[in-house]
């Protein structure tokens, strides 16, 4: 039997080759609208999903569907409830892009500390004298607060503590104390945690408890020059409150890799804001991570289709 694998978005060729070598047929829809995915999912055995929403509507008529393999760590774009109800296995790849995201976060921290993007914009317009106004700050000895001390949070902590000599504070109500590295302190109270940090980096999954967890009250608790970094999910931050906090001088800068709606509208006020560094969900966009994710997701599909247990089932 030839299995049909629906792959709505571009993935690294190595995962495709693995599936084709196993005799699977790759099916590529023309777009990722729910109605299109629904039509194509109807006779698919597996979906290899990136960040496109795999909603109830997409899978409810998919009678042959056995597995949805997420090409990445987060799976908030997949209706786990509907998948479970229909006996469909959902998998993720917990470690495939951990380093890629952690390196992006380090890049954003460093870029924010020197306002590199804003200075570059000015210099490109011919404003060499911007250097007189471009007095940055050094990160050594500054406090980085990590919200969510999981795979990515822990690696960001390690790189920033050992490489950049930053002080690290952690806020994670589900923290396993045994995973805390030497020199890293956990703070139980979010308000006290935010008040202490020069940089706050978010690494929590998007779910009901974390939706808009950083909003007006939290911005008021931050230092006025605090830099917020969000490479988790856009919905974790109340974007309207963030815009107000930047405009009212309640925080210093924001570095955002993710947005509540993706892609965001071209006139999204945070993207062109002069105290925001914005990237288009670039966390996993390295050659290494793309290959890891494509292969690992393809392997999970082949495991499930051949009756084996997957390595990382999330439902
Ligand atoms: N920008 C990008 O391209 C990427 C973004 N991500 C996002 O990053 C998220 C985190 O990834 P991982 O570190 O691999 O996940 P993980 O599951 O290893 O860690 C998540 C951590 O968040 C903690 N947590 C849960 N609820 C919390 C709360 N209310 N307050 C504070 N902490 C809480 C958990 O205890 C856990 O330690 C993913 O769920 C995904 O949404 C992941 C990969 C790439
Ligand atoms: C790429 C991404 O956002 C994830 O792995 O969750």
């Amino acid at each position: 039997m030839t299995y049909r694998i629906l792959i709505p978005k571009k993935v690294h060729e190595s995962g495709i080759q693995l599936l084709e070598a196993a005799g699977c047929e790759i099916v590529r829809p023309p777009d990722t609208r729910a109605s299109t995915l629904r039509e194509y999912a109807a006779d698919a055995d597996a979906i290899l999903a990136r960040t496109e929403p795999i909603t109830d509507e997409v899978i409810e008529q998919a009678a042959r569907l056995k597995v949805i393999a997420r090409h990445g760590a987060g799976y908030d774009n997949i209706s786990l409830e509907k998948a479970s109800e229909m006996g469909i296995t959902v998998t993720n790849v917990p470690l495939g892009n951990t380093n890629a995201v952690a390196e992006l976060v380090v890049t954003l921290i460093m870029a924010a500390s020197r306002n590199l993007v804003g200075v570059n914009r000015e210099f490109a317009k011919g404003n060499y004298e911007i250097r007189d106004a471009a007095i940055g700050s050094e990160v050594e000895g500054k406090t980085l607060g990590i919200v969510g001390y999981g795979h990515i949070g822990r690696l960001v902590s390690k790189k920033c503590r050992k490489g950049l000599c930053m002080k690290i504070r952690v806020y994670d109500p589900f923290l396993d104390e045994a995973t805390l590295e030497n020199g890293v302190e956990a703070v139980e109270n979010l308000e006290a945690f935010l008040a202490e940090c020069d940089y706050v980096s978010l690494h929590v999954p998007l779910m009901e408890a974390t939706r808009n967890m950083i909003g007006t009250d939290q911005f008021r608790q931050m230092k006025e020059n605090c830099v917020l970094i969000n490479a988790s999910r856009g919905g974790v931050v109340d974007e309207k409150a963030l815009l107000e906090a930047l405009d009212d001088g309640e925080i210093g800068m924001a570095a955002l890799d993710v947005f509540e709606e993706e892609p965001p509208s071209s006139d999204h006020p945070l993207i062109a804001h002069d105290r925001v560094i914005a990237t288009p969900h670039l966390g996993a966009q390295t050659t290494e991570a793309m290959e890891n994710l494509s292969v690992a997701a393809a392997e999970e599909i082949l495991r499930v289709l051949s009756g084996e247990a997957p390595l990382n089932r999330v439902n």
Side-chain angles (χ1 to χ4, degrees), residues 95-114:
L95 291 169
N97 54 19
T98 308
N99 189 59
V101 181
E103 288 190 7
L104 178 69
V105 170
V106 173
T107 306
L108 293 173
I109 290 173
M110 296 308 295
S113 75
R114 295 301 186 95

Side-chain angles (χ1 to χ4, degrees), residues 9-283:
K9 284 193 173 175
K10 188 171 163 49
V11 301
H12 193 281
E13 211 35 51
S14 48
I16 309 259
Q17 284 164 4
L18 212 63
L19 292 165
E20 285 178 338
C24 298
E25 180 192 348
I26 308 300
V27 179
R28 294 197 181 269
D31 59 67
T32 58
R33 280 186 297 213
S35 54
T36 309
L37 294 184
R38 177 187 172 93
E39 184 192 329
Y40 280 75
D43 60 357
D45 299 282
I47 303 178
L48 200 168
R50 294 200 60 187
T51 49
E52 61 282 8
I54 307 294
T55 56
D56 292 4
E57 182 191 347
V58 173
I59 56 181
E60 66 198 354
Q61 300 293 326
R64 280 170 56 165
L65 194 61
K66 291 182 192 57
V67 52
I68 302 169
R70 246 295 284 150
H71 178 280
Y75 43 86
D76 50 283
N77 58 318
I78 295 173
S79 171
L80 290 191
E81 209 173 76
K82 182 54 89 182
S84 301
E85 188 189 307
M86 294 180 58
I88 299 165
T89 299
V90 182
T91 63
N92 76 339
V93 184
L95 291 169
N97 54 19
T98 308
N99 189 59
V101 181
E103 288 190 7
L104 178 69
V105 170
V106 173
T107 306
L108 293 173
I109 290 173
M110 296 308 295
S113 75
R114 295 301 186 95
N115 191 15
L116 213 59
V117 174
V119 170
N120 178 257
R121 275 190 211 123
E122 281 303 306
F123 189 23
K125 283 191 249 165
N127 181 4
Y128 183 80
E129 302 314 323
I130 187 65
R131 70 185 292 272
D132 292 328
I135 308 299
S137 65
E138 297 174 27
V139 300
E140 183 168 328
K142 298 284 169 24
T143 301
L144 167 64
I146 295 189
V147 180
Y149 195 63
H151 294 115
I152 299 173
R154 287 199 295 274
L155 193 56
V156 169
S157 164
K158 182 175 157 192
K159 288 179 190 293
C160 292
R161 192 173 63 83
K162 294 191 170 170
L164 302 180
C165 306
M166 299 182 83
K167 271 195 274 182
I168 310 292
R169 296 289 178 269
V170 165
Y171 174 79
D172 187 333
F174 310 101
L175 180 73
D176 173 1
E177 296 273 345
T179 62
L180 265 188
E181 281 189 279
N182 272 346
V184 176
E185 272 181 39
V187 182
E188 279 182 24
N189 177 285
L190 181 59
E191 186 172 350
F193 164 88
L194 293 172
E196 209 188 329
C197 299
D198 301 295
Y199 296 79
V200 171
S201 192
L202 307 178
H203 300 291
V204 292
L206 178 63
M207 47 194 181
E208 272 329 292
T210 59
R211 189 175 291 282
N212 290 334
M213 76 180 280
I214 305 296
T216 304
D217 291 346
Q218 289 66 40
F219 290 122
R220 292 202 177 124
Q221 290 149 10
M222 292 180 191
K223 292 184 181 176
E224 65 179 20
N225 56 355
C226 183
V227 176
L228 175 76
I229 300 111
N230 188 12
S232 61
R233 285 292 182 265
V236 173
V237 174
D238 178 338
E239 291 183 344
K240 190 166 164 279
L242 171 58
L243 188 61
E244 281 167 11
L246 287 162
D247 288 343
D248 296 348
E250 273 167 354
I251 68 165
M253 281 189 79
L256 308 172
D257 185 45
V258 285
F259 295 85
E260 189 163 4
E261 194 185 310
E262 292 184 358
S265 63
S266 55
D267 61 351
H268 193 299
L270 285 168
I271 293 175
H273 198 286
D274 58 7
R275 280 187 290 122
V276 173
I277 299 173
T279 51
H281 205 141
L282 273 192

